[in-house]
Amino acid sequence: MATITLDPNYGYVLLAATSTFLMNTLHTINTGKFRKAAKVAYPAAYAPDSRTDEAAIRFNCAQRSHAQFTENQVSFLASLMLSGLRFPLTSAIMGLGWSVSRYLYMAGYSKGGDGKGRYNGSTFYIFQLGLFGLTVYSGVAMVMGW
């Protein structure tokens, strides 16, 4: 049986990963708050297009922010965990940056209006692409024996 020895700093990677679970909970609370204010009953995922009031727009923005988070969380976590095997501190810092950026994205997008508040946290793409790059590099390095 093979043994894998992890750098003790990999614990920081696990903490960064855990921060995304907290972010998902914050998204759930945020979306629920705006759902209640907009009076959008379950199981409707969004307020109908016929509603143009601020409460409906803010709910739709909060809901879209949450959906966009969940669309990205899985691939982000995979790249965080894999790149963290070779670059634990760099990966953990990038993971924390991703979570902070996702919070800013959620808070900005939930302001409603034209939805451009989400640009406040769009830096998450930099962290996510950076982790993807580190994961690719780690795989190539293993194959090439670097």
Side-chain angles (χ1 to χ4, degrees):
M1 174 179 253
T3 302
I4 297 175
T5 303
L6 297 175
D7 186 310
N9 288 324
Y10 195 76
Y12 294 114
V13 173
L14 298 178
L15 291 173
T18 302
S19 74
T20 72
F21 309 147
L22 173 62
M23 273 308 306
N24 190 51
T25 301
L26 291 175
H27 269 284
T28 301
I29 292 167
N30 186 59
T31 303
K33 175 180 78 171
F34 287 108
R35 177 184 290 278
K36 185 175 180 180
K39 297 181 174 101
V40 175
Y42 285 104
Y46 292 93
D49 290 339
S50 60
R51 293 220 15 219
T52 58
D53 57 286
E54 186 64 22
I57 291 169
R58 290 185 79 182
F59 167 65
N60 285 347
C61 287
Q63 182 75 318
R64 183 63 200 126
S65 174
H66 190 193
Q68 211 273 350
F69 172 83
T70 60
E71 291 163 3
N72 283 274
Q73 185 187 24
V74 173
S75 58
F76 162 77
L77 282 174
S79 63
L80 173 67
M81 304 301 277
L82 293 170
S83 67
L85 293 170
R86 189 173 186 107
F87 304 103
L89 291 177
T90 302
S91 297
I93 290 166
M94 292 177 89
L96 179 61
W98 187 87
S99 288
V100 169
S101 295
R102 291 309 313 205
Y103 178 82
L104 295 172
Y105 185 95
M106 176 193 74
Y109 207 171
S110 296
K111 290 180 182 176
D114 58 6
K116 290 186 178 177
R118 69 187 184 276
Y119 297 143
N120 295 339
S122 60
T123 52
F124 80 86
Y125 284 116
I126 295 168
F127 297 112
Q128 190 163 325
L129 291 173
L131 286 168
F132 291 170
L134 288 176
T135 302
V136 169
Y137 177 84
S138 295
V140 170
M142 284 184 75
V143 169
M144 301 300 288
W146 300 340

